[in-house]
Amino acid sequence: MIKKETLKKYVDLSLEIGVNLQKNQILVIMSPVETADFTRLLVERAYLLGASEVVVHWSDDFCKKMTFTYGEKNIFEEMPQWQVDSFMHYANKGAAFLSISASDPELLAGIDGEKIGAYQKTRGQALKPYYDKLMINEFQWNIISVPTLPWAKKVFPNLSDEEAISSLWNAILKSTKADTENPVETWKNHLSLLKEKMDYLNKKQFEKFVITNSLGTNLTVKLPKNHIWASGKDVTQSGVEFVANIPTEEVFSMPHKYGVDGIVYASKPLNYSGTLIEDFSLTFKDGKIIDFSAKSGYEALKNLISIDDGAKYLGEIALVPFDSPISNLGILFFNTLFDENASCHLAIGQAYSSCIENGDKLSSEEMEEVGMNDSLTHVDFMFGTRDLSIVGFEKNGNFENIFVNGNWAE
């Protein structure tokens, strides 16, 4: 049984460090119905912190599965305008957005891939104005997780229902540092350490990375001129600091859209839209995915990289040491929020405008010119391993080890 005091710490961490809720600000929470008890703690605490309004958008995995199982394909080809209007209404009013990521990793296993593909493309197109605002940090946003039974049983299949939920709660609280005496202060120190790595990479301005490991990854990743490395802490355009992901162990930037060559092998399964994509690889030439393979989830991977032209290119490269606190738990979470913070990763699709100088002011033509990818999607996948090597090359030809044996070089 998780102590209520510990849950309150997690709530405070989510609201004070995560979205950094401001007085008289609206908070929008996207929550599964399975996590209603925790969501209600968030709602109450948000009001006590001074929120002017707290809006909850509920979702239900069971109903979603029934819709995908029995619904006609045409219903996935249109997103109701009122749903789009709701996101845009609150975004335009300067709301903060908090999402609880806790879906069943295999919710849509065996479902018609055309339905899933249509849903993802339709949703991406309809909500692009909202995600454009999110990607340029027009408002605070944050993603956290809370255990649900299907997810907990996937992570801990040999435990009873109660033990699985409890074990996943303990892993989440440890990963997020919510189990410490003062999580808010602990996070402030943690963000300072990430900033040191970020500042070093920004100072060096490497021209490219060469990435290799024993899985067969052999990838060259060029970085755009005037690229910017970011870490756990983001800042809105109005100057409010927030942390988009709790947990976070990464320092990240953007690859040059046309500067990725070679092959990369995923080191962990990818939970994408209720389907697990496992043992997969992507082959790049001049930045574009020209070939791919997957032991399972092939159709889901195919749908992902077919959403639009930008989904065939990368938008993010993130560095996470193999010996990170989450990796050292030895748990495969089947949830990208956690697994990406246990491993170096790349993202298919949209690049963050904050990762290049004046990125939020670039037109579509200027984005193309500087090598910034634009897409309806942004999906992280993991490539970090214990023997990962990353070598950084400067424009003058000098090079240095960035990662040796999976960790930051000393």
Side-chain angles (χ1 to χ4, degrees), residues 91-356:
N92 289 332
K93 289 177 74 70
F97 289 77
L98 189 154
S99 299
I100 298 177
S101 170
S103 63
D104 177 355
E106 297 182 291
L107 179 70
L108 300 182
I111 297 295
D112 182 352
E114 289 188 6
K115 290 182 179 179
I116 298 173
Y119 170 80
Q120 291 293 343
K121 186 171 185 177
T122 298
R123 185 175 176 84
Q125 290 173 335
L127 290 178
K128 191 170 193 315
Y130 165 78
Y131 285 115
D132 283 346
K133 288 177 177 288
L134 181 148
M135 296 296 272
I136 64 173
N137 292 340
E138 196 166 300
F139 49 78
Q140 308 110 278
W141 58 279
N142 171 255
I143 306 173
I144 61 169
S145 281
V146 175
T148 59
L149 183 57
W151 178 26
K153 291 293 286 184
K154 178 64 179 178
V155 179
F156 300 104
N158 298 321
L159 299 182
S160 68
D161 290 359
E162 185 177 342
E163 290 172 332
I165 288 284
S166 179
S167 295
L168 186 53
W169 255 126
N170 287 328
I172 288 173
L173 293 171
K174 188 170 186 62
S175 298
T176 59
K177 311 180 197 308
D179 63 347
T180 59
E181 184 174 349
N182 189 331
V184 171
E185 286 303 315
T186 300
W187 265 84
K188 289 178 180 178
N189 294 332
H190 173 57
L191 294 170
S192 295
L193 293 175
L194 289 176
K195 185 176 182 299
E196 290 179 10
K197 298 296 186 184
M198 176 190 79
D199 289 344
Y200 179 76
L201 291 171
N202 279 325
K203 180 180 178 181
K204 295 295 291 188
Q205 281 291 298
F206 288 105
E207 185 176 41
K208 66 180 180 180
F209 287 156
V210 174
I211 303 169
T212 55
N213 68 12
S214 60
L215 288 180
T217 293
N218 190 341
L219 196 69
T220 298
V221 178
K222 293 182 180 178
L223 300 165
K225 184 180 179 181
N226 299 321
H227 65 272
I228 297 171
W229 288 90
S231 61
K233 184 186 295 184
D234 283 293
V235 182
T236 67
Q237 293 183 7
S238 62
V240 179
E241 295 181 346
F242 69 99
V243 176
N245 293 343
I246 290 182
T248 184
E249 302 288 338
E250 66 180 307
V251 177
F252 63 94
S253 189
M254 69 170 69
H256 192 289
K257 179 177 180 179
Y258 301 110
V260 182
D261 290 280
I263 188 167
V264 59
Y265 286 84
S267 57
K268 294 177 183 288
L270 170 62
N271 175 16
Y272 175 66
S273 194
T275 302
L276 283 179
I277 306 172
E278 301 180 274
D279 296 331
F280 65 96
S281 69
L282 302 173
T283 302
F284 294 84
K285 181 174 174 55
D286 297 328
K288 187 176 184 178
I289 297 172
I290 59 169
D291 195 15
F292 63 94
S293 67
K295 184 176 180 181
S296 63
Y298 179 89
E299 287 300 317
L301 181 58
K302 182 180 178 181
N303 287 334
L304 168 58
I305 64 177
S306 301
I307 286 178
D308 60 10
D309 187 63
K312 296 176 177 62
Y313 297 84
L314 297 179
E316 179 186 352
I317 177 169
L319 306 185
V320 179
F322 187 83
D323 287 327
S324 70
I326 300 173
S327 177
N328 289 337
L329 289 175
I331 296 172
L332 182 59
F333 283 89
F334 300 99
N335 181 305
T336 301
L337 178 62
F338 292 88
D339 291 334
E340 73 168 7
N341 284 296
S343 171
C344 288
H345 53 274
L346 297 163
I348 292 169
Q350 179 71 38
Y352 290 105
S353 61
S354 58
C355 288
I356 195 162

